[in-house]
């Protein structure tokens, strides 16, 4: 379900690079088309919350004047999630108290984009301290879904996905610990890669200025095509390798229904139709799952995520107090508090449990090339930015279900460090898009992306 791109915006960055190389388009013209898209739609969608038009125009003009391409993203207009440091520009984390925080240096991903010739035009919206699957904050407001402004763009990379889907940017760089790239990609109908952990640096992505690389968290691209995601993955990771897949030789596992996370019947039907297309193309597709306790593994993921973000949680709590918001309550909030307070010894015990799961997943992917998994419980939910995430629900088959049950669907990629790519597979009659996760073995990011590109061509051939 492609969002209609405005006039002058090409389908993806690879097509743009070809047009630039052929002299059919200038980098400046491509940039101005994105600015026109922002002027047309951002008042409604509120995806891009900071712009440097003068700086971007200067970079685009330098690309046009260069005697040879600067790099693989030469002249491509890009944005970055607001929480990534960009030298000389604010990094607020969605907190009004940080409006004067100006980055002293570039984050690793911004530096990589610049080296590759990308034209960074601005930053995209986030929830405060990335602490929600909804994208809204008191500094910039709420981001809306391009396919239906009454619906959620997802979070925490909701501004990223909405900007790419609506033509405001060709590429955005998001971050993901528990689905924060994958859910927005699903909601907005774009591609989103949560790469193998550690393959792309998150330096310059900390409200505390930490130098260490965080556990579980990953930076990755949101794009309009799998080939764009593969291009940007290579730029950010420094891994220029490629992979080719033959659909007829793929052994694909299809995740069955999980008791702890119901999926809407309409979405499940779309997934089954997608699996049928793969079978018709010659792939071996069988409904199967890793032999693990998904409920316990999801609890384990949440504990380790909260241990990782414990210091940031203190900032978020102080932020909520300034906003006069009540502290989260209930079972999920209690689990968070338990994770925030883990001792190092207890963390080591949980980490050992994680490594045992990683070993099981390694065995699973020895027999399966990919695991197909829902990216959410259903299509994008109604926008509810004022409802705390621990109390928010989504309607699944006519019943209200806690939105946080969806963590079970994102757990494998997060907890076990695996590459997980969301790609669009169609949509509902209402126009809301649907996506699916392609999960692969650790380090097999290029293979996952090559499969997504091959699967996308199947859809186009129908």
């Amino acid at each position: 379900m492609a969002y209609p791109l405005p006039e002058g915006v090409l389908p993806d960055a690879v097509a743009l690079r070809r047009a630039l190389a052929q002299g059919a388009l200038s980098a400046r013209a491509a940039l101005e088309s994105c600015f026109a898209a922002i002027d047309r739609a951002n008042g409604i969608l509120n995806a891009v919350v900071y712009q440097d038009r003068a700086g971007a125009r200067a970079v685009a003009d330098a690309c046009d004047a260069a005697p040879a391409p600067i790099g693989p993203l030469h002249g491509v207009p890009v944005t970055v999630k607001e929480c990534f440091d960009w030298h000389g520009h604010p990094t607020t984390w969605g907190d009004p108290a940080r409006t004067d925080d100006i980055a002293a240096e570039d984050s690793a991903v911004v530096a990589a984009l610049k080296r590759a010739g990308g034209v960074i035009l601005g930053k995209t919206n986030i929830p405060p301290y990335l602490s929600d699957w909804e994208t809204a904050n008191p500094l910039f407001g709420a981001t809306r879904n391009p396919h239906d402004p009454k619906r959620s763009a997802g979070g925490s990379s909701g501004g990223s996905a909405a900007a790419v889907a609506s033509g405001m940017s060709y590429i955005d760089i998001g971050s993901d610990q528990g689905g924060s790239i994958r859910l927005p990609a699903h909601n907005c109908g774009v591609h989103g890669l949560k790469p193998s952990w550690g393959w792309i640096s998150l330096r310059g992505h900390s409200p505390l200025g930490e130098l260490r690389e965080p556990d579980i968290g990953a930076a990755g691209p949101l794009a309009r095509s799998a080939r764009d995601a593969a291009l940007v993955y290579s730029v950010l990771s420094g891994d220029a390798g490629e992979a080719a897949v033959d659909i007829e030789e793929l052994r694909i596992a299809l995740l069955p229904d999980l008791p702890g996370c119901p999926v809407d019947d309409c979405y499940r039907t779309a997934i089954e139709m997608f699996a049928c297309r793969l079978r018709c193309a010659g792939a071996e597709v069988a409904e199967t799952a890793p032999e693990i306790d998904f409920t316990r593994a999801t609890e384990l993921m949440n504990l380790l995520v909260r241990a990782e973000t414990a210091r940031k949680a203190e900032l978020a709590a102080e932020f909520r107090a300034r906003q006069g918001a009540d502290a989260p309550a209930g079972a999920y909030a209690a689990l968070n508090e338990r994770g925030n307070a883990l001792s190092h010894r207890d963390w080591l015990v949980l980490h050992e449990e994680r490594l045992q799961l990683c070993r099981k997943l390694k065995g699973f992917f020895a027999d399966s090339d990919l695991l197909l998994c829902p990216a959410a419980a259903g299509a994008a939910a109604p926008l509810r930015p004022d409802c705390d995430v621990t109390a928010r629900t989504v309607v699944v088959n006519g019943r209200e279900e806690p939105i946080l049950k969806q963590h079970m669907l994102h757990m494998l990629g997060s907890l076990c460090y695996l590459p997980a790519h969301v790609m669009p597979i169609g949509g509902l009659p209402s126009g809301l898009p649907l996506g699916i996760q392609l999960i692969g073995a650790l380090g097999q990011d290029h293979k996952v992306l090559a499969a997504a590109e091959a699967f996308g061509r199947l859809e186009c051939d129908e």
Side-chain angles (χ1 to χ4, degrees):
M1 298 295 292
Y3 186 81
L5 297 176
E7 184 177 353
V9 176
L10 298 182
D12 66 1
V14 171
L16 173 60
R17 289 171 67 228
R18 186 178 301 121
L20 293 172
Q22 294 171 346
L25 190 68
S26 68
R28 179 64 178 269
L31 177 65
E32 295 300 336
S33 294
C34 289
F35 285 148
I38 292 172
D39 292 340
R40 177 183 67 90
N42 203 46
I44 297 172
L45 302 182
N46 192 35
V48 178
V49 294
Y50 176 83
Q51 299 177 62
D52 178 16
R53 294 200 174 194
R57 284 171 173 143
V59 173
D61 290 345
C63 288
D64 288 330
I70 296 171
L73 293 178
H74 176 89
V76 176
V78 299
T79 47
V80 295
K81 192 174 178 179
E82 206 276 345
C83 48
F84 285 105
D85 286 343
W86 178 16
H87 176 249
H89 302 280
T91 306
T92 71
W93 288 81
D95 185 345
R98 301 175 72 106
T99 53
D100 296 327
D101 287 7
I102 305 300
E105 59 184 27
D106 287 330
S107 59
V109 299
V110 167
L113 292 173
K114 287 181 175 180
R115 288 194 301 270
V119 180
I120 305 174
L121 65 90
K123 287 187 158 192
T124 48
N125 205 17
I126 58 172
Y129 297 101
L130 314 185
S131 58
D132 201 344
W133 270 347
E134 196 73 88
T135 295
N137 61 69
L139 185 57
F140 300 121
T143 295
R144 298 178 179 275
N145 191 304
H147 299 269
D148 180 353
K150 298 185 183 67
R151 298 277 174 165
S152 170
S156 61
S157 305
S160 304
V164 170
S166 57
M168 300 180 194
S169 173
Y170 279 85
I171 301 290
D172 193 281
I173 310 303
S175 56
D176 187 315
Q177 276 189 317
S180 287
I181 286 174
R182 290 165 282 170
L183 180 64
H186 166 82
N187 280 11
C188 295
V190 298
H191 289 256
L193 172 69
K194 198 290 305 176
S196 294
W197 179 77
W199 260 244
I200 296 173
S201 174
L202 271 174
R203 178 180 56 79
H205 180 273
S206 168
L208 297 160
E210 295 166 303
L211 298 178
R212 67 184 181 87
E213 292 287 339
D215 184 31
I216 296 180
L222 291 105
R224 291 188 218 118
S225 68
R227 63 184 187 176
D228 274 10
L231 172 66
V232 179
Y233 170 76
S234 295
V235 165
L236 299 183
S237 67
D239 177 4
E242 295 181 356
V245 299
D246 183 342
I247 294 178
E248 294 183 353
E249 296 181 358
L250 287 178
R251 301 162 301 166
I252 300 173
L254 176 63
L255 190 73
D257 289 332
L258 299 173
C261 183
V263 172
D264 195 80
D265 289 343
C266 292
Y267 183 26
R268 178 58 70 180
T269 298
I271 291 173
E272 291 171 354
M273 291 174 61
F274 180 72
C276 284
R277 287 199 293 271
L278 299 182
R279 291 189 184 101
C280 290
E284 177 187 324
V285 183
E287 191 172 277
T288 185
E291 293 184 0
I292 63 173
D293 183 338
F294 275 77
T295 298
R296 170 55 187 167
T298 303
E299 179 182 59
L300 179 62
M301 182 198 81
N302 281 307
L303 287 170
L304 290 174
V305 165
R306 294 312 153 200
E308 163 57 38
T309 60
R311 293 183 67 207
K312 189 175 74 173
E314 297 172 2
L315 296 177
E318 191 269 336
F319 163 82
R320 285 194 302 270
R322 278 189 276 113
Q323 298 298 310
D326 294 332
Y332 183 76
L335 183 67
N336 284 353
E337 288 301 315
R338 182 180 158 200
N340 288 341
L342 282 178
S343 69
H344 185 57
R345 178 192 177 282
D346 289 342
W347 185 92
L348 290 173
V349 170
L350 295 179
H351 180 55
E352 185 66 24
E353 184 179 353
R354 167 174 46 192
L355 293 179
Q356 294 295 334
L357 290 174
C358 290
R359 176 176 288 184
K360 288 187 177 182
L361 267 294
K362 184 176 181 180
F364 177 83
F365 283 109
D367 297 324
S368 299
D369 296 297
L370 294 170
L371 173 64
L372 299 185
C373 175
L383 183 68
R384 299 173 62 190
D386 296 329
C387 179
D388 184 84
V389 68
T390 60
R392 197 175 300 137
T393 59
V394 291
V395 177
V396 181
N397 298 324
R399 296 180 56 182
E400 297 282 347
E401 298 281 357
I403 195 170
L404 291 173
K405 284 189 175 183
Q406 295 177 136
H407 269 144
M408 188 172 288
L409 301 173
H410 301 132
M411 173 272 297
L412 290 174
S414 296
L415 176 65
C416 297
Y417 305 138
L418 306 177
H421 180 80
V422 168
M423 63 173 288
I425 60 169
L428 299 177
S430 64
L432 290 174
L434 298 170
I436 193 165
Q437 282 191 90
L438 280 59
I439 303 175
L442 181 67
Q444 295 297 307
D445 301 60
H446 281 296
K447 183 176 182 178
V448 169
L449 291 164
E453 186 173 354
F455 297 167
R457 287 196 299 269
L458 278 181
E459 288 192 295
C460 292
D461 290 341
E462 287 191 338

